[in-house]
Amino acid sequence: MDYKALAERLFPEGTPTIESIEQKYPPRSLEKGAEVTRLAPSPTGFIHLGNLFVAIANERIAHQSGGVLFLRIEDTDLKRKVEGAVEAVISALKYFDIHFDEGAEIGGDDTYAPWYQRQRAEIYRAYAKKLVEEGRAYPCFCTEEELTALREEQTSKKETTGYYGRYARCRNLSEEEVFEKLAAGTPYVLRLRSMGDPEVKHKFHDEIKGDITVQENDQDIVILKSDGIPTYHFAHAIDDHLMRTTLVIRGEEWLASLPIHIELFSALGFPLPHYGHNCSLMKQDGETRRKLSKRKDPELSLEFYRKEGYYPRAVKVYMLTLLNSAFEEWYMKNPEAPLESFPFKVSKMSKSGTLFDLDKLNDISKNELARLSEHEMFAFLKDWAEEFGTEAQKGYFADEEKMLRVLALCMGVGGKKRRKDFTTASQAMEFIRFFFERPVSREPYRCEKADRAGILSDFLKSYSPEDDSAAWFSKVKEIAGRHGFAAEMKDYKAAPEAYKGSVADVAEVLRIAATGKANTPDLWTILQILGEEETRARIEGECK
Ligand code: GLU
């Protein structure tokens, strides 16, 4: 076979020379040890926790080593392309403080641009041509139907499926047959002519999984589809080489394709970057553990965290906890340190499925939010409400001073111990709603109706917003005494049968009447914030 002639026939348009491409994308001049990492999503519009997981690892490694993190968009599959998906990736990651140095819609040093694979078609074609010239790639004219029949045959014989070895029919077409088919305009894809033998196994060092065994590839995989567009395998190999990626951290779903990638890099004459395959995120589902699923688990989507209003740092802390076994202890010792100062190590990443637990994240969120000042909380909630809140919620921020008092109270600012009532922005906004809107429903009163009405009207008679907390509480105690409730807890404890209840029950009645809830932060302060008129209006409504 005259491979040179075949290459000319397949790529008549003339492609740039390999030398010119290599020159255009020279090795990066970075300090020794600096890692070049990337995120290479397909623009499907769905950005998930797994992406964030990988992004955090890639970001840490790049920036900790003085290297580069870039964003490449793998848009070779047009069917999956969604408008605005690239901006969505960037903004979703920015929320978690992941910044790219270069890439699609980022700008930065454009030596290695373009970052959209569709704009790099000429480059892939140049390398494809080179492989044809060297006899390492060939056109395959098999139709979909033929490939389906082949797969069925292999399945029924319980053999490995795919286009390989003796099944790779077009691999051995004669020169005449090939040129005839081309002349007839038969559609074709371009396939790698694999030289591997799956019986041969090699040791491979995965940066995350450690030493693993990888068998050689023997699949003649498609490198260019019939429309001339490359497959992921082919495009990523060329891009990672030319963009001078040193470390590829990607999801473990790609581990199965590693033999293909090893062979492709070698056929193309490229040094192999380091690879680390990150374990999948699992979820405990009853007795079993399973992968997080797009269909069943809303928490897989990064949108979920923004809509719920998770505090970005909390999600990041949890992700780092899952990503690096040493993180939790480090964070306990360095709670104030910037997360970037944690010495992140790829080798400390978990080797097998990591359990993702929303309850654990919620605990971390509570702790993180409890560290904010009321001003920081104000800014965080306001941003959230502007994007996701109801009109009423947006209105809560109109009176800044009131909101700051509410937040300081609910967060226990200045108290002996911080309160941990807030988990997310959406939950916090719901929690503080009673300060801004009258309760439409109330938690049930435990107290008899007649007693309740008596307590509330009595309260209104003596209530004065001028009273300080102590004076206010002595009045509550007096009310308790007047209505058959123990004014002192110790009296009640000593003889519970002598009373209808205690002062705590009286306070609960007031609390539910004023706020709708049986549990709230300090009631006196709440009434101060509500103001006399509002307090009276709410309680009056419950006196009947
Ligand atoms: N485009 C691939 C994906 O969407 C990228 C995998 C990689 O990081 O190499 O998962």
Side-chain angles (χ1 to χ4, degrees):
M1 173 85 80
D2 182 348
Y3 293 132
K4 201 113 190 118
L6 178 60
E8 289 306 325
R9 174 68 183 79
L10 295 177
F11 300 94
E13 77 274 22
T15 49
T17 63
I18 299 301
E19 294 69 39
S20 68
I21 299 174
E22 285 278 342
Q23 259 168 28
K24 188 160 177 249
Y25 300 107
R28 294 175 186 259
S29 44
L30 291 169
E31 296 285 314
K32 200 167 168 288
E35 301 274 10
V36 179
T37 65
R38 86 302 193 273
L39 217 68
S42 301
T44 58
F46 182 66
I47 163 129
H48 57 81
L49 214 50
N51 298 128
L52 177 64
F53 210 48
V54 164
I56 293 176
N58 276 314
E59 189 277 339
R60 282 294 73 228
I61 295 303
H63 293 153
Q64 196 171 273
S65 66
V68 171
L69 170 69
F70 68 84
L71 175 66
R72 179 173 72 228
I73 300 300
E74 307 212 318
D75 56 354
T76 53
D77 190 353
L78 267 191
K79 284 197 292 295
R80 300 174 64 204
K81 196 174 164 182
V82 169
E83 266 331 294
V86 178
E87 289 74 9
V89 169
I90 296 172
S91 94
L93 293 174
K94 199 164 151 202
Y95 186 69
F96 298 103
D97 216 19
I98 308 260
H99 298 273
F100 295 95
D101 303 295
E102 331 174 331
E105 310 306 323
I106 303 284
D109 181 356
D110 64 356
T111 312
Y112 300 92
W115 294 286
Y116 285 91
Q117 289 187 324
R118 287 228 148 221
Q119 296 170 17
R120 301 171 69 83
E122 186 182 69
I123 301 173
Y124 308 127
R125 292 180 69 77
Y127 283 96
K129 184 177 181 187
K130 173 178 182 274
L131 291 185
V132 174
E133 280 170 359
E134 292 167 351
R136 289 302 311 269
Y138 64 90
C140 164
F141 303 94
C142 288
T143 61
E144 276 306 319
E145 294 71 42
E146 285 169 321
L147 293 175
T148 309
L150 175 63
R151 202 165 30 247
E152 281 164 6
E153 181 193 336
Q154 290 164 332
T155 312
S156 74
K157 288 191 192 155
K158 297 201 166 39
E159 291 190 33
T160 309
T161 55
Y163 207 79
Y164 61 95
R166 64 197 161 87
Y167 290 115
R169 209 180 308 154
C170 294
R171 184 180 169 121
N172 300 316
L173 292 180
S174 69
E175 190 164 334
E176 265 168 21
E177 285 170 310
V178 171
F179 277 86
E180 236 168 61
K181 284 185 189 290
L182 290 173
T186 320
Y188 65 91
V189 298
L190 207 65
R191 288 185 184 272
L192 171 76
R193 187 188 301 275
S194 170
M195 312 281 246
D197 173 357
E199 296 298 313
V200 180
K201 299 187 168 53
H202 298 278
K203 226 196 190 148
F204 181 85
H205 185 74
D206 185 282
E207 299 297 318
I208 296 171
K209 300 204 177 287
D211 288 335
I212 55 173
T213 306
V214 178
Q215 61 180 42
E216 286 186 359
N217 169 57
D218 68 341
Q219 295 275 347
D220 284 2
I221 55 124
V222 175
I223 57 174
L224 291 188
K225 293 180 261 186
S226 53
D227 54 4
I229 297 296
T231 54
Y232 161 72
H233 302 304
F234 192 55
H236 107 279
I238 293 171
D239 290 341
D240 279 332
H241 169 65
L242 294 175
M243 295 175 175
R244 309 293 165 174
T245 308
T246 61
L247 174 64
V248 174
I249 294 179
R250 60 182 179 185
E252 80 183 342
E253 66 275 19
W254 294 108
L255 197 55
S257 316
L258 187 61
I260 297 174
H261 301 159
I262 295 174
E263 185 172 20
L264 270 175
F265 272 85
S266 136
L268 288 160
F270 301 154
L272 197 65
H274 292 132
Y275 281 93
H277 291 90
N278 197 9
C279 59
S280 305
L281 289 169
M282 314 291 282
K283 174 173 178 153
Q284 191 74 37
D285 191 352
E287 293 291 288
T288 50
R289 275 187 183 196
R290 57 167 178 81
K291 270 196 196 171
L292 277 170
S293 114
K294 189 170 167 179
R295 201 165 44 81
K296 294 191 206 150
D297 310 310
E299 71 267 34
L300 182 61
S301 162
L302 287 193
E303 257 309 286
F304 170 82
Y305 299 90
R306 288 182 73 176
K307 278 209 185 115
E308 289 294 312
Y310 274 91
Y311 191 57
R313 182 178 159 108
V315 178
K316 209 162 166 184
V317 165
Y318 185 41
M319 294 272 108
L320 283 167
T321 308
L322 294 179
L323 273 166
N324 246 233
S325 49
F327 178 77
E328 207 165 354
E329 204 187 318
W330 175 88
Y331 195 46
M332 245 145 58
K333 289 191 191 134
N334 305 280
E336 302 301 329
L339 298 179
E340 296 70 50
S341 58
F342 168 68
F344 190 91
K345 285 205 185 71
V346 183
S347 57
K348 287 265 168 63
M349 284 168 73
S350 171
K351 295 187 195 329
S352 54
T354 300
L355 198 60
F356 180 82
D357 179 359
L358 212 49
D359 292 336
K360 183 86 202 282
L361 170 62
N362 289 340
D363 281 345
I364 293 179
S365 300
K366 284 185 184 166
N367 289 333
E368 289 299 322
L369 288 179
R371 295 169 48 174
L372 299 188
S373 71
E374 67 271 39
H375 295 273
E376 287 165 323
M377 189 60 139
F378 182 95
F380 171 58
L381 293 181
K382 189 162 187 266
D383 280 352
W384 179 85
E386 264 157 28
E387 200 170 345
F388 299 104
T390 59
E391 281 313 307
Q393 287 175 331
K394 287 180 192 146
Y396 297 176
F397 297 88
D399 183 345
E400 183 165 340
E401 199 201 312
K402 175 176 174 185
M403 181 55 113
L404 286 172
R405 285 173 78 192
V406 167
L407 295 177
L409 170 67
C410 294
M411 296 166 74
V413 174
K416 269 201 230 83
K417 240 176 110 195
R418 276 303 194 85
R419 298 183 65 93
K420 293 186 179 172
D421 292 336
F422 295 163
T423 313
T424 63
S426 62
Q427 173 269 343
M429 291 300 288
E430 190 51 42
F431 187 95
I432 61 174
R433 177 175 172 172
F434 66 83
F435 286 98
F436 302 92
E437 295 176 52
R438 286 206 183 146
V440 269
S441 63
R442 284 179 165 77
E443 285 177 27
Y445 292 99
R446 279 185 301 158
C447 178
E448 298 282 329
K449 193 159 181 219
D451 287 327
R452 185 175 92 211
I455 289 169
L456 293 176
S457 6
D458 201 357
F459 175 79
L460 287 179
K461 275 184 223 133
S462 63
Y463 177 59
S464 160
E466 310 298 322
D467 292 340
D468 65 10
S469 172
W472 176 82
F473 195 54
S474 359
K475 283 185 179 171
V476 177
K477 283 184 181 176
E478 283 164 22
I479 298 169
R482 281 200 290 275
H483 293 266
F485 290 76
E488 301 296 338
M489 273 322 273
K490 62 172 186 341
D491 295 342
Y492 179 69
K493 281 199 184 124
E497 64 294 335
Y499 302 97
K500 289 182 187 163
S502 75
V503 63
D505 299 300
V506 174
E508 187 188 279
V509 172
L510 291 170
R511 195 181 300 275
I512 296 178
T515 69
K517 297 181 183 199
N519 281 304
T520 68
D522 180 59
L523 185 56
W524 176 77
T525 317
I526 292 175
L527 302 186
Q528 291 288 306
I529 297 174
L530 289 176
E532 179 171 13
E533 201 184 321
E534 182 65 17
T535 298
R536 284 189 181 278
R538 288 184 184 194
I539 293 181
E540 258 155 29
E542 293 295 286
C543 283
K544 290 157 223 125

